């Protein structure tokens, strides 16, 4: 049984509070919200990764358990005095966050504040006297009457805050830019003309490159995510690469087959045509869901997207020159950021950059210099020369330079080679239905040793 559900901002502000049970006599009326402060003080005091379950001993009363997840930069918390399955509560909180995003259009502190009435209505239908009733979008949409107030998403490519669907990149519009922040239930005057479905293939790339340019470690975490605005349920058939193989044992000869080590599917996905034709069949509910997740370890089917050729020398300053080459010719890299650790005590830096849109700054507190490139065309190369002033410079100071870390976003590109062959609906929707497919690769960890 759930005693309380509340949503907090990253600063501990109370956004949503629902009390299903009087936990103790002291927690009545306004005083009951003291449990929120108890939770926030304990969870922020934890070092490192925060555990999802926190236990508080309240004097002579039973132990109070707080179970929480972080989504969209917010704390989604449930408290209980009983001993329910923590995995059930975690799954419920994740589902509550997903439904909030579906109904409000985006997941942020602003959207929660603007749609507090809608979220309370969702909680009333989802939980009754502390017991979970339903988390199904198809069931809830028959009872939710409050209309959402849309807000623009905070960040384009921040996966923890907003969806990628229909977002506007710096290079082109691949779908209507309002789709990312559009709620699944539009206002009553906008019910028609919204037969749209969005499919994103999203990959996160982790790479370690040695000082001689040799690829030492690679990992690709990918998912196929859909966001559905179709008013009626239709079976959707998603065709993947015909030559897709799963596991090393399925790859035959030296063919150019696309391979993943393992994959997982949403429980609603039908796989009767997957083994033979690599077709996924699903009847998507309105809103956002992940239909497939996959992983490829210790093997990169293509060359790493960036090659960096650093050079570090010692003069009166530490002189570091960087030559950066973007190997993908058919893609564009956005928001490229290169961080180079520098010796402790660095006081100033001079720079020579090869193009005016680049920026660089020394960050003494972080003991690093930051080189930023907002847009990097495919097949291009850029260079930079940095002179860092380090008082008391010694040969040992050179050992503090590196390794280099990068972050970036690649549009229209997947490193695994996974592609969507076709996207079909059956039966065909009445009126015009629009289907959008997009590929995005993010750097999860991209490290280059010097």
């Amino acid at each position: 049984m759930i005693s309380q559900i509340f949503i907090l901002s990253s600063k501990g502000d109370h956004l949503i509070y629902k009390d299903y049970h009087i936990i103790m006599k002291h927690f009545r009326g306004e005083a009951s919200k003291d449990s929120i402060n108890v939770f926030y003080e304990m969870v922020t005091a934890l070092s490192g990764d925060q555990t999802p379950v926190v236990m508080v001993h309240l004097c002579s009363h039973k132990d109070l358990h707080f179970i929480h997840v972080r989504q969209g930069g917010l704390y989604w918390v449930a408290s209980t005095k009983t001993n329910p399955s923590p995995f059930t509560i975690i799954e419920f909180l994740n589902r509550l966050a997903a439904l909030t995003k579906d109904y409000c259009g985006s997941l942020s502190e602003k959207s929660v504040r603007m749609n507090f009435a809608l979220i309370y209505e969702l909680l009333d239908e989802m939980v009754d006297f502390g017991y979970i009733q339903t988390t199904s979008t198809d069931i809830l949409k028959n009872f939710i009457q409050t209309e959402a107030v849309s807000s623009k998403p905070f960040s384009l490519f921040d996966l923890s805050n907003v969806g990628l669907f229909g977002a506007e990149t710096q290079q082109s519009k691949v779908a209507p830019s309002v789709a990312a922040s559009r709620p699944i239930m539009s206002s009553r005057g906008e019910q028609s003309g919204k037969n749209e479905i969005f499919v994103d293939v999203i990959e996160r790339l982790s790479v370690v490159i040695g000082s001689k340019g040799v690829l030492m470690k690679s990992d690709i975490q990918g998912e196929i995510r859909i966001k559905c605005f179709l008013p009626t349920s239709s079976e959707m058939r998603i065709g993947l690469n015909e030559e897709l193989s799963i596991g090393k044992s399925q790859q035959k000869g030296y063919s150019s087959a696309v391979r993943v080590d393992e994959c997982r599917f949403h429980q609603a996905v039908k796989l009767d045509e997957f083994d033979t034709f690599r077709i996924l069949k699903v009847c998507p509910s309105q809103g956002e869901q992940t239909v497939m997740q996959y992983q490829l370890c210790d093997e990169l089917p293509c060359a790493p997207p960036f090659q960096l050729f650093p050079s570090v020398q010692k003069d009166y300053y530490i002189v570091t020159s960087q030559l950066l080459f973007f190997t993908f010719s058919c893609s564009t890299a956005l928001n490229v950021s290169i961080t180079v650790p520098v010796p402790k005590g660095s006081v100033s830096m001079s720079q020579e950059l090869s193009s005016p849109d680049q920026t660089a700054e020394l960050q003494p507190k972080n003991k690093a210099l930051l080189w930023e490139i907002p847009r990097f065309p495919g097949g291009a190369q850029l260079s930079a020369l940095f002179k860092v002033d380090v008082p008391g410079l010694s040969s040992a100071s050179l050992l503090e330079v590196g390794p280099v870390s990068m972050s970036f976003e690649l549009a229209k590109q997947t490193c695994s080679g996974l592609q969507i062959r076709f996207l079909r609906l059956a039966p065909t929707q009445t009126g015009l239905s629009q289907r959008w497919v997009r590929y995005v690769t993010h750097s999860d960890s991209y490290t280059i040793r010097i």
Side-chain angles (χ1 to χ4, degrees):
M1 176 181 173
I2 296 175
S3 300
Q4 297 168 310
I5 293 175
F6 48 90
I7 304 173
L8 304 182
S9 71
S10 58
K11 297 180 180 179
D13 298 329
H14 307 175
L15 305 179
I16 299 292
Y17 176 81
K18 189 80 172 178
D19 194 346
Y20 296 97
H21 182 69
I22 302 300
I23 297 179
M24 55 186 297
K25 185 176 180 180
H26 177 67
F27 285 172
R28 289 184 182 273
E30 292 299 319
S32 64
K33 294 188 179 181
D34 289 346
S35 58
I36 300 178
N37 299 327
V38 172
F39 162 78
Y40 186 74
E41 290 174 2
M42 292 199 64
V43 78
T44 52
L46 295 175
S47 59
D49 294 335
Q50 298 167 348
T51 57
V53 181
V54 179
M55 184 180 70
V56 183
H57 188 69
L58 296 176
C59 301
S60 60
H61 297 270
K62 286 186 177 181
D63 294 332
L64 179 65
H65 298 270
F66 290 107
I67 304 172
H68 80 285
V69 298
R70 289 208 69 179
Q71 294 280 356
L74 306 175
Y75 291 100
W76 305 73
V77 192
S79 67
T80 177
K81 288 199 306 178
T82 58
N83 192 28
S85 168
F87 298 104
T88 300
I89 305 299
I90 291 173
E91 178 63 25
F92 166 76
L93 293 173
N94 282 320
R95 186 64 187 144
L96 173 61
L99 285 169
T100 301
K101 181 177 180 180
D102 287 342
Y103 277 89
C104 299
S106 62
L107 199 58
S108 63
E109 180 179 346
K110 180 180 178 181
S111 65
V112 170
R113 289 185 184 277
M114 295 174 65
N115 293 280
F116 68 92
L118 173 58
I119 297 173
Y120 277 117
E121 188 175 3
L122 275 172
L123 287 173
D124 287 340
E125 301 297 339
M126 294 173 67
V127 182
D128 193 11
F129 292 101
Y131 293 95
I132 301 171
Q133 303 300 310
T134 183
T135 59
S136 169
T137 304
D138 293 332
I139 295 175
L140 289 170
K141 70 180 181 181
N142 298 320
F143 302 100
I144 302 301
Q145 301 297 321
T146 305
E147 295 182 3
V149 181
S150 298
S151 62
K152 293 183 179 180
F154 173 74
S155 174
L156 174 60
F157 285 104
D158 188 352
L159 289 177
S160 65
N161 288 335
V162 298
L164 296 174
F165 307 96
E168 181 181 350
T169 67
Q170 298 183 29
Q171 53 159 359
S172 63
K173 290 184 180 179
V174 295
S177 59
V178 296
S181 58
R182 203 176 86 206
I184 60 174
M185 295 182 63
S186 302
S187 60
R188 288 165 175 75
E190 300 177 352
Q191 290 294 329
S192 60
K194 296 298 183 182
N195 294 0
E196 296 176 310
I197 191 161
F198 301 85
V199 178
D200 270 6
V201 181
I202 308 164
E203 292 188 350
R204 298 173 180 85
L205 177 65
S206 298
V207 163
V208 177
I209 300 176
S211 57
K212 296 183 179 180
V214 178
L215 181 63
M216 303 180 64
K217 181 181 178 181
S218 66
D219 180 79
I220 298 174
Q221 302 278 348
E223 62 184 32
I224 300 176
R225 194 185 297 177
I226 63 176
K227 189 165 187 178
C228 179
F229 291 97
L230 302 180
T232 59
S233 178
S234 296
E235 183 179 78
M236 182 173 62
R237 303 174 81 242
I238 304 174
L240 306 180
N241 309 63
E242 289 183 327
E243 68 276 14
L244 174 66
S245 63
I246 302 172
K248 294 182 180 180
S249 60
Q250 289 193 16
Q251 194 166 9
K252 300 178 181 180
Y254 295 94
S255 65
S256 58
V258 176
R259 185 181 71 83
V260 297
D261 289 333
E262 61 181 41
C263 59
R264 298 181 297 276
F265 303 95
H266 190 277
Q267 60 185 6
V269 176
K270 300 176 183 178
L271 300 174
D272 52 300
E273 295 186 49
F274 181 74
D275 289 338
T276 306
F277 303 107
R278 295 309 190 211
I279 295 175
L280 306 177
K281 296 194 296 186
V282 63
C283 295
S285 302
Q286 284 189 325
E288 182 179 323
Q289 60 184 282
T290 299
V291 297
M292 175 180 171
Q293 295 176 308
Y294 57 92
Q295 183 177 15
L296 177 61
C297 297
D298 298 327
E299 183 177 334
L300 204 59
C302 57
F306 288 97
Q307 293 181 354
L308 183 68
F309 303 95
S311 174
V312 181
Q313 300 175 2
K314 177 188 171 217
D315 199 353
Y316 293 103
Y317 303 85
I318 285 186
V319 181
T320 171
S321 59
Q322 315 283 338
L323 179 62
L324 185 63
F325 180 63
F326 186 20
T327 58
F328 293 170
S329 59
C330 58
S331 181
T332 300
L334 306 174
N335 304 324
V336 180
S337 176
I338 302 100
T339 302
V340 183
V342 296
K344 182 179 180 181
S346 300
V347 294
S348 64
M349 179 189 74
S350 61
Q351 61 196 28
E352 295 179 15
L353 305 176
S354 59
S355 64
D357 59 337
Q358 304 175 49
T359 59
E361 65 172 334
L362 179 66
Q363 299 177 332
K365 292 184 178 179
N366 299 328
K367 297 190 295 182
L369 66 86
L370 181 65
W371 178 22
E372 294 184 321
I373 307 164
R375 179 184 174 90
F376 202 150
Q381 69 178 25
L382 297 173
S383 62
L385 179 67
F386 305 105
K387 294 183 179 180
V388 182
D389 184 12
V390 184
L393 181 63
S394 64
S395 299
S397 301
L398 296 179
L399 301 177
E400 299 182 50
V401 180
V404 178
S405 60
M406 294 185 62
S407 64
F408 51 84
E409 301 142 3
L410 303 181
K412 300 182 181 180
Q413 186 72 41
T414 58
C415 292
S416 67
L418 188 72
Q419 300 284 319
I420 304 293
R421 284 190 291 128
F422 60 81
L423 181 61
R424 298 171 185 164
L425 299 174
T428 304
Q429 291 286 318
T430 58
L432 179 63
S433 60
Q434 294 180 311
R435 288 159 283 182
W436 307 90
V437 178
R438 192 174 66 164
Y439 305 93
V440 182
T441 297
H442 295 261
S443 61
D444 195 21
S445 173
Y446 200 95
T447 303
I448 304 170
R449 297 178 180 175
I450 298 178

